[in-house]
Amino acid sequence: MNYDCIVLGAGIVGVSSALQLQARGRSVCLIDKLAPGEGTSFGNAGLIERSSVIPYGFPREFDKLIRYALNNQSDVRYDFSYLPKITPWLASYWWHSSPKRLAQAAVEMWPLLQRCVTEHDKWITLANAQDLVRAKGWIEVFRETLSFEHAKCDLDELGFYQLNYDVLNTEQLLVREPTLKPIVKGGIHWLDPKTVTDPSQLAKRYAQLFVKLGGTLLNGDAQRLKQKNNGWALQTDEQLLESDNVVVALGFNSPELVSRFGYKIPLAVKRGYHKHYRVEADHVLQQPICDHLAGFILAPMTNGIRLTTGAEFTDPNLPAKDIQINRAEAIARTLYPLGEAVESTPWLGRRPCINDMRPVIGKAPKAKGLWVNFGHAHHGLTLGPISGRLLADLMTEDKPFTDPAPYSIQRFT
Ligand SMILES: Cc1cc2nc3c(=O)[nH]c(=O)nc-3n(C[C@H](O)[C@H](O)[C@H](O)COP(=O)(O)OP(=O)(O)OC[C@H]3O[C@@H](n4cnc5c(N)ncnc54)[C@H](O)[C@@H]3O)c2cc1C
């Protein structure tokens, strides 16, 4: 079968890329070894996160570094045995996290973040997925007065982005989220983001829309991709697919494939977990809350309250470990009356994180017809549709809505 384009990977990024190309009249075949939205896009916290405008850099404050060195926190944990392997990447991540470089990264990511909600809205309507989406934002909760005061001061630096938020004292916070325990010192309610009650289901609805509009969705192994006659060929179990263009959107598995064509991408995996808990009738959370210090999110979802963790550094291929989710759960129970756990083991996801905190989107010129869209780190759900739009603009030679240079894969050659 011949297509204008083969998209490899049906996570939120690949599905969105396929939809955007299809909307420009291209025939598209979307390939995954799993069903859509079953990779990292399955289990995130569901934030379409238009308020986290400063990328999550490597901390530089002395007190934070000491805290992480002790390796007993819930927001970041690591396996000592993995440190020699990850240290070169961490060093380059640290270098890109200087205040000046981080500010530059924020400015360069803003054109994508600024449009992330409106771009999702378009597809949410077309995919009939309004039932999965809430427009109440999320609340950052502080358990310590000092960190609340610091966070309030930091708000002044965000003026450029014109974000909408409410600063809440304890009383106001407990009115907005009455189920929280009164240990809280205050909160910031971020109003621009939307939140999703089942992120995997959203990717599946987008994929259903793609198929309904004539797109082809097939199971296959992207590693079987071959260059052939100036184009590309991929043998699935059922058929041979051919195309002039291929998009690599394989999340954390992408570097392995593009390395075959001469690209060495400094991408590391920040693992993260989730687990669901039952909700008592009188303890319903109105919107997701994030614990500022412990880095976990409690999000009301279809399967109960979803507790998600921060970052874990260890071999990406090792099975899930309980340590980080248990630490988060212990703190979460001091904040909110979590019910019984729904699952006995946590779900494990792998965030695809590039050292300079920007994804790669666009042409990969070392191989004719090779395109990339991966490395969305903490914000793949947020950025899927908008980075798909930029990619499709570039592939169809439409005028891109923003300068694509900051996301070029050429920065790694
Ligand atoms: C705990 C946690 C919380 C998060 N919270 C948020 C949040 O609130 N908001 C947000 O925006 N982001 C969040 N993220 C990040 C977000 O989930 C990711 O950035 C996003 O899912 C990445 O999407 P993707 O499509 O690039 O990758 P994936 O979803 O991993 O998709 C890649 C696809 O490629 C397929 N694949 C891989 N190899 C092959 C192969 N050889 N052949 C065929 N198919 C293959 C996989 O099966 C998979 O379906 C969170 C992540 C975690 C772990």
Side-chain angles (χ1 to χ4, degrees), residues 316-333:
N317 299 314
L318 286 180
K321 300 173 184 232
D322 281 336
I323 307 167
Q324 196 177 27
I325 197 93
N326 286 348
R327 285 179 188 165
E329 180 186 323
I331 302 170
R333 287 192 182 282

Side-chain angles (χ1 to χ4, degrees), residues 247-293:
V247 176
V248 179
L250 297 167
F252 81 101
N253 291 119
S254 303
E256 189 186 341
L257 186 66
V258 298
S259 69
R260 282 169 38 194
F261 309 103
Y263 291 102
K264 194 165 181 284
I265 309 297
L267 183 145
V269 168
K270 291 189 192 173
R271 301 182 5 148
Y273 296 93
H274 86 220
K275 207 166 173 179
H276 294 99
Y277 299 82
R278 293 190 209 293
V279 192
E280 312 294 331
D282 47 351
H283 292 152
V284 176
L285 267 180
Q286 299 305 309
Q287 55 265 304
I289 59 161
C290 172
D291 185 291
H292 172 80
L293 203 59

